[in-house]
Amino acid sequence: MRRNIHIIIIEDEPATARHLEYILKEINPEIQITKCLQSIAEATEWFTLNDNNFDLIFSDIRLSDGLSFEIFRKVKIKKPVIFVTAYHDYAIEAFRNNGIDYVLKPFDKEEITRTIFKYHILIAADSEKRQNAKASLLQELQNATKHYRKSFLIHYCGRLIPVEAAKINWFHTANEIVYAHLSDGRQYIMEFTLEQLENELEPTLFFRANRQFIINKKAVEAVEYFFNGRLLIKIHPSPQDQIIVSKAKAMTFRK
């Protein structure tokens, strides 16, 4: 893995680009960042003038002036691309645009190391193995495009009330009944278990804090350190019971 790789970074958040560059250099000091590009317009111009004089691209998907796929429609690029994004929704299109991997933000050194290793495996493979690897990746990306529940129809007083999932601040279970709590204080009984909700809710928005609570990250007001490496979550509106994240889940929650 100690090969000198020339990498292009397409990212409109300078802090994220610097963080990615820092991690890449930690993984392999011989990696060269050839160019950091911040927009579709800038990237299209640069790739038009520079004829594939690099090895690999790390690209965000949502840029300030649109989706980065537009770059690959305008300019013929033969090099592999690792897409780094906060969104699940573009995995298949990423594969169709030279994508060899799909990394979700926030990323860490372990994830970037894994994807660089995948790049080396693909480059070292012969043509047949490379096609098999791409077929495997397509299946992986198809699995990543799961559509999560955006809303619920909730039975209440003889009516069906539509409620957007994003407006539910937290779910909790008590006496084998699951309740949904909204920011305005309304509370509804849900016809789901927490396990079912955990599988159907967008994981970048909702987090299974413990056996009793699933919380909306936008409703979190503060996080306090608790005993033995655990975390105490302050959320609005405040539930009667404390929301404690175990030591085992604390790292995942902070990420």
Side-chain angles (χ1 to χ4, degrees):
M1 199 156 129
R2 301 289 295 179
R3 175 177 171 264
N4 191 343
I5 311 173
H6 292 82
I7 292 177
I8 305 296
I9 295 176
I10 305 174
E11 172 61 65
D12 61 352
E13 297 179 359
T16 302
R18 288 193 299 270
H19 179 51
L20 176 58
E21 182 174 355
Y22 176 80
I23 289 176
L24 288 168
K25 290 285 190 178
E26 270 201 322
I27 294 169
N28 182 358
E30 295 183 7
I31 286 176
Q32 300 294 317
I33 306 302
T34 302
K35 190 73 175 177
C36 288
L37 306 164
Q38 295 189 8
S39 67
I40 293 171
E42 183 184 13
T44 301
E45 181 180 3
W46 192 90
F47 285 121
T48 301
L49 298 174
N50 295 270
D51 187 23
N52 288 311
N53 190 25
F54 55 92
D55 300 302
L56 176 65
I57 299 170
F58 275 84
S59 179
D60 193 0
I61 292 180
R62 289 193 182 182
L63 301 174
S64 58
D65 54 349
L67 301 181
S68 62
F69 302 130
E70 190 66 25
I71 300 165
F72 306 103
R73 296 190 187 103
K74 292 179 178 180
V75 185
K76 188 175 182 180
I77 298 173
K78 299 179 181 179
K79 302 297 184 178
V81 185
I82 294 168
F83 288 96
V84 183
T85 178
Y87 304 93
H88 291 266
D89 306 337
Y90 303 107
I92 296 299
E93 193 164 359
F95 174 78
R96 291 170 178 159
N97 286 275
N98 288 10
I100 64 168
D101 207 354
Y102 196 85
V103 178
L104 288 173
K105 297 178 181 177
F107 53 81
D108 57 21
K109 183 178 178 181
E110 181 179 350
E111 290 169 306
I112 301 302
T113 300
R114 175 192 58 77
T115 197
I116 288 291
F117 181 76
K118 178 181 283 188
Y119 163 76
H120 281 285
I121 293 297
L122 287 173
I123 293 304
D126 59 30
S127 178
E128 181 179 355
K129 288 181 180 178
R130 198 171 300 173
Q131 289 301 316
N132 290 339
K134 292 189 75 174
S136 176
L137 174 64
L138 177 59
Q139 184 61 53
E140 182 181 327
L141 294 179
Q142 286 174 330
N143 293 338
T145 57
K146 178 179 178 179
H147 294 286
Y148 294 98
R149 181 179 285 275
K150 302 296 184 183
S151 62
F152 296 90
L153 274 178
I154 298 175
H155 291 274
Y156 182 74
C157 295
R159 297 179 296 161
L160 286 172
I161 300 176
V163 176
E164 291 182 37
K167 292 183 177 179
I168 299 173
N169 284 18
W170 46 278
F171 300 88
H172 92 283
T173 182
N175 300 318
E176 299 184 354
I177 298 173
V178 173
Y179 301 88
H181 295 260
L182 279 65
S183 58
D184 60 6
R186 285 181 293 165
Q187 171 183 293
Y188 296 112
I189 294 176
M190 303 295 293
E191 296 179 345
F192 297 86
T193 66
L194 282 191
E195 286 70 26
Q196 290 170 331
L197 289 170
E198 185 178 10
N199 288 325
E200 296 202 19
L201 293 167
E202 171 59 63
T204 61
L205 181 60
F206 289 93
F207 182 80
R208 179 72 182 268
N210 52 43
R211 294 174 63 185
Q212 292 177 295
F213 286 92
I214 294 176
I215 60 175
N216 185 330
K217 70 176 185 180
K218 292 184 178 179
V220 175
E221 295 184 323
V223 181
E224 298 178 3
Y225 288 104
F226 207 60
F227 301 108
N228 299 323
R230 294 177 294 170
L231 300 175
L232 174 62
I233 310 303
K234 300 293 186 179
I235 200 165
H236 177 79
S238 180
Q240 291 183 348
D241 298 328
Q242 291 182 322
I243 303 177
I244 306 294
V245 176
S246 70
K247 181 178 180 180
K249 281 191 169 187
M251 177 65 75
T252 304
F253 175 77
R254 288 198 297 268
K255 287 175 63 178

